[in-house]
């Protein structure tokens, strides 16, 4: 009897290995994890759908699988955490066969190995629809507590890692590196007050951070680091607008005290740059300050999910 689902499971099982904190991975009814001491456990879940988060042939099956894990690793990084295990559920298109399925999982497995994450279980289904991948990642805080969105204080400096804008047009949304190494170094060098990763767009996600902390912010337009794709866009929108609203950047947006900000600015040696882009205020709302002295309100522009009427 042809049992492709179980063939795929065995193919995956042969390519992953259990390691702490996973004591029992793929092959039983549930996985077993042994957390260290009384530390909190972080859990991130994202579901990616063909036609929304990636399309073929601009993506490959490997890159679709890679992105499905990468966005969850980015969420763990945004909590100042370390990922340990992943659980992967897929709805595979019937028409694309075993080779396609194995390539999707190869993208997942390669990225998991790069960041020392165990793929510890999941589920596989097939249907006549498009590819759907749901990944759950488990992790632990690097410090005593995770860093949340709500900790920003008036006077904090606001930083971003890397550069923003143009991720979809340049396909960087498929190949980005989750900022796990960067957040590990940040946690060593500074007390991170508030943090999140940029998925919906810099402006939109900044508003999430400000709302959570009941604070405001002023951004310096000239300081926002833009990618080459954002700077060279010819679609009629300005490079700055791309940087503020494109989304899918998966960079970290975080706040620290001015003293820690000075230390980071002078002592940061990682390959991924960090840039001060503004300051937190005690006045609700967000504004954008331009080099010519103008200050304009900055609304939460960016990606929104459409749920119909």
């Amino acid at each position: 009897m042809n049992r492709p689902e179980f063939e795929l499971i065995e193919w995956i099982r042969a390519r992953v290995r259990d390691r702490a904190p996973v004591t029992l991975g793929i092959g039983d009814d549930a996985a077993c994890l042994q957390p260290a001491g009384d530390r909190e456990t972080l859990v991130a879940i994202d579901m990616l759908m063909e036609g929304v988060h990636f399309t073929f042939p601009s993506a490959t099956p490997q890159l679709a699988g890679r992105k499905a894990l990468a966005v969850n690793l980015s969420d763990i990084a945004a909590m100042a955490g370390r990922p340990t295990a992943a659980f992967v559920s897929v709805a595979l298109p019937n028409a694309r066969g075993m080779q396609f399925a194995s390539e999707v999982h190869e993208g997942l497995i390669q990225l998991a190995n790069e960041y020392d994450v165990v793929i510890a279980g999941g589920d596989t289904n097939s249907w006549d629809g498009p590819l759907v991948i749901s990944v759950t990642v488990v992790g632990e805080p690097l410090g005593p507590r995770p860093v949340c969105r709500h900790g920003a204080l008036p006077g904090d400096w606001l930083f971003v890692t890397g550069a923003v804008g143009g991720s979809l047009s340049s396909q960087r949304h498929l190949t980005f590196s989750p900022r796990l190494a960067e957040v590990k170094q940040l946690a060593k060098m500074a007390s991170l007050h508030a943090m999140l990763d940029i998925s919906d767009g810099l402006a939109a996600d900044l508003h999430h951070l400000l709302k959570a902390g009941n604070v405001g912010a002023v951004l310096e337009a000239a300081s926002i680091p833009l990618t080459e794709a954002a700077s060279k866009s010819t679609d009629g929108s300005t490079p700055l607008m791309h940087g503020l609203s494109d989304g899918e950047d998966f960079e970290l947006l975080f706040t620290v005290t001015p003293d820690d900000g000075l230390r980071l600015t002078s002592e940061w040696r990682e390959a991924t740059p960090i840039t001060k882009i503004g300051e937190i205020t005690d006045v609700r709302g967000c504004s954008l300050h331009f080099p010519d002295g103008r200050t304009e309100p900055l609304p939460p522009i960016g990606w929104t999910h459409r749920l119909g009427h």
Side-chain angles (χ1 to χ4, degrees):
M1 181 184 297
N2 185 22
R3 306 289 294 277
E5 176 188 355
F6 295 100
E7 291 176 18
L8 178 60
I9 292 170
E10 287 303 316
W11 183 90
I12 297 168
R13 186 178 181 182
R15 284 161 175 77
V16 301
R17 62 182 181 86
D18 297 344
R19 52 191 177 274
V22 179
T23 58
L24 178 64
I26 297 171
D28 217 303
D29 291 306
C32 297
L33 284 72
Q34 181 68 54
D38 58 355
R39 296 172 65 83
E40 292 178 287
T41 297
L42 301 173
V43 182
I45 304 172
D46 270 296
M47 181 170 65
L48 273 62
M49 296 170 286
E50 180 182 349
V52 177
H53 301 96
F54 52 83
T55 57
F56 301 116
S58 58
T60 65
Q62 293 96 328
L63 287 176
R66 183 191 187 281
K67 181 178 180 179
L69 177 58
V71 297
N72 284 277
L73 299 185
S74 182
D75 283 334
I76 297 295
M79 302 292 290
R82 179 181 75 90
T84 55
F87 300 86
V88 180
S89 294
V90 294
L92 296 162
N94 284 320
R96 290 179 177 151
M98 179 67 175
Q99 179 65 31
F100 177 89
S102 63
E103 289 175 3
V104 169
H105 284 84
E106 192 62 51
L108 285 153
I109 292 167
Q110 288 177 1
L111 189 67
N113 289 339
E114 181 179 342
Y115 289 98
D116 199 30
V117 175
V118 180
I119 295 182
D123 190 25
T124 58
N125 287 282
S126 61
W127 68 327
D128 292 330
L131 175 65
V132 180
I133 315 172
S134 178
V135 177
T136 301
V137 171
V138 177
E140 60 186 18
L142 291 168
R145 303 280 297 180
V147 177
C148 302
R149 299 181 177 189
H150 57 67
L153 298 173
D156 277 1
W157 286 12
L158 183 67
F159 281 83
V160 67
T161 61
V164 293
S167 184
L168 292 171
S169 62
S170 66
Q171 300 298 301
R172 187 167 56 91
H173 70 107
L174 297 169
T175 61
F176 72 92
S177 296
R179 299 307 189 193
L180 290 162
E182 291 79 2
V183 80
K184 185 176 181 180
Q185 188 61 25
L186 286 170
K188 290 178 181 178
M189 296 178 64
S191 175
L192 299 165
H193 284 178
M195 185 162 58
L196 47 63
D197 71 333
I198 301 171
S199 55
D200 295 334
L202 173 58
D205 287 313
L206 174 57
H207 273 268
H208 294 321
L209 185 149
L210 300 179
K211 181 179 180 181
N214 196 31
V215 291
V218 176
L219 292 192
E220 296 295 334
S223 297
I224 296 171
L226 303 174
T227 65
E228 183 178 359
S231 299
K232 293 185 175 181
S233 175
T234 59
D235 65 357
S237 186
T238 66
L240 178 60
M241 186 58 63
H242 280 291
L244 291 170
S245 64
D246 279 357
E248 296 275 285
D249 291 307
F250 300 104
E251 297 291 353
L252 298 178
L253 185 67
F254 62 93
T255 78
V256 295
T257 65
D259 286 345
D260 278 347
L262 285 170
R263 182 181 306 109
L264 289 173
T265 300
S266 62
E267 299 179 11
W268 185 256
R269 298 292 182 268
E270 301 298 306
T272 302
I274 58 173
T275 306
K276 180 193 175 189
I277 61 171
E279 296 186 12
I280 300 298
T281 70
D282 58 3
V283 179
R284 291 290 301 271
C286 186
S287 59
L288 190 62
H289 182 253
F290 293 88
D292 62 7
R294 288 179 299 124
T295 299
E296 298 180 358
L298 178 62
I301 50 177
W303 169 261
T304 57
H305 292 278
R306 296 178 295 275
L307 297 179
H309 300 285

